[in-house]
Short mmCIF file of all heavy atoms in Angstrom, two decimals:
data_model
loop_
_atom_site.label_atom_id
_atom_site.label_comp_id
_atom_site.label_asym_id
_atom_site.label_seq_id
_atom_site.Cartn_x
_atom_site.Cartn_y
_atom_site.Cartn_z
N GLY A 900 8.39 -28.34 21.51
CA GLY A 900 8.65 -29.09 20.29
C GLY A 900 8.44 -28.29 19.02
O GLY A 900 8.17 -28.86 17.96
N ILE A 901 8.56 -26.97 19.12
CA ILE A 901 8.33 -26.09 17.97
C ILE A 901 9.66 -25.68 17.35
O ILE A 901 10.53 -25.12 18.03
CB ILE A 901 7.55 -24.83 18.39
CG1 ILE A 901 6.18 -25.23 18.94
CG2 ILE A 901 7.39 -23.86 17.22
CD1 ILE A 901 5.41 -24.08 19.57
N THR A 902 9.81 -25.94 16.07
CA THR A 902 11.01 -25.55 15.32
C THR A 902 10.80 -24.18 14.70
O THR A 902 9.73 -23.88 14.18
CB THR A 902 11.31 -26.58 14.22
OG1 THR A 902 11.52 -27.85 14.81
CG2 THR A 902 12.53 -26.17 13.40
N VAL A 903 11.82 -23.35 14.77
CA VAL A 903 11.79 -22.05 14.10
C VAL A 903 13.04 -21.95 13.22
O VAL A 903 14.17 -21.94 13.71
CB VAL A 903 11.77 -20.88 15.10
CG1 VAL A 903 11.79 -19.54 14.35
CG2 VAL A 903 10.54 -20.95 16.00
N ASP A 904 12.82 -21.92 11.92
CA ASP A 904 13.90 -21.72 10.95
C ASP A 904 13.28 -21.26 9.64
O ASP A 904 12.09 -20.93 9.60
CB ASP A 904 14.73 -23.01 10.77
CG ASP A 904 13.92 -24.22 10.33
OD1 ASP A 904 12.85 -24.01 9.71
OD2 ASP A 904 14.33 -25.36 10.61
N ALA A 905 14.07 -21.22 8.59
CA ALA A 905 13.57 -20.69 7.32
C ALA A 905 12.36 -21.46 6.80
O ALA A 905 11.47 -20.88 6.16
CB ALA A 905 14.69 -20.72 6.28
N ASP A 906 12.32 -22.76 7.07
CA ASP A 906 11.19 -23.58 6.62
C ASP A 906 10.05 -23.63 7.61
O ASP A 906 8.96 -24.13 7.30
CB ASP A 906 11.67 -25.01 6.34
CG ASP A 906 12.62 -25.08 5.15
OD1 ASP A 906 12.36 -24.36 4.16
OD2 ASP A 906 13.60 -25.84 5.22
N HIS A 907 10.29 -23.12 8.82
CA HIS A 907 9.27 -23.12 9.86
C HIS A 907 9.20 -21.70 10.45
O HIS A 907 9.72 -21.44 11.53
CB HIS A 907 9.61 -24.13 10.96
CG HIS A 907 9.76 -25.53 10.48
ND1 HIS A 907 10.92 -25.99 9.88
CD2 HIS A 907 8.88 -26.58 10.50
CE1 HIS A 907 10.75 -27.27 9.56
NE2 HIS A 907 9.53 -27.65 9.92
N PRO A 908 8.59 -20.78 9.71
CA PRO A 908 8.60 -19.37 10.14
C PRO A 908 7.79 -19.13 11.42
O PRO A 908 6.82 -19.84 11.71
CB PRO A 908 7.98 -18.63 8.95
CG PRO A 908 7.14 -19.66 8.27
CD PRO A 908 7.86 -20.96 8.44
N LEU A 909 8.22 -18.11 12.15
CA LEU A 909 7.54 -17.67 13.36
C LEU A 909 6.98 -16.28 13.11
O LEU A 909 7.72 -15.34 12.85
CB LEU A 909 8.52 -17.64 14.54
CG LEU A 909 8.00 -17.03 15.85
CD1 LEU A 909 6.90 -17.89 16.45
CD2 LEU A 909 9.16 -16.85 16.84
N PHE A 910 5.66 -16.16 13.18
CA PHE A 910 5.00 -14.86 13.06
C PHE A 910 4.57 -14.42 14.46
O PHE A 910 3.89 -15.17 15.16
CB PHE A 910 3.78 -14.94 12.14
CG PHE A 910 4.11 -15.28 10.71
CD1 PHE A 910 4.09 -16.60 10.27
CD2 PHE A 910 4.46 -14.28 9.82
CE1 PHE A 910 4.40 -16.91 8.96
CE2 PHE A 910 4.78 -14.59 8.49
CZ PHE A 910 4.75 -15.91 8.07
N VAL A 911 4.96 -13.22 14.85
CA VAL A 911 4.68 -12.72 16.20
C VAL A 911 3.84 -11.45 16.08
O VAL A 911 4.20 -10.52 15.34
CB VAL A 911 5.97 -12.43 16.98
CG1 VAL A 911 5.65 -12.07 18.42
CG2 VAL A 911 6.91 -13.64 16.93
#
Side-chain angles (χ1 to χ4, degrees):
I901 299 171
T902 300
V903 178
D904 57 25
D906 293 320
H907 301 81
L909 172 67
F910 296 94
V911 186

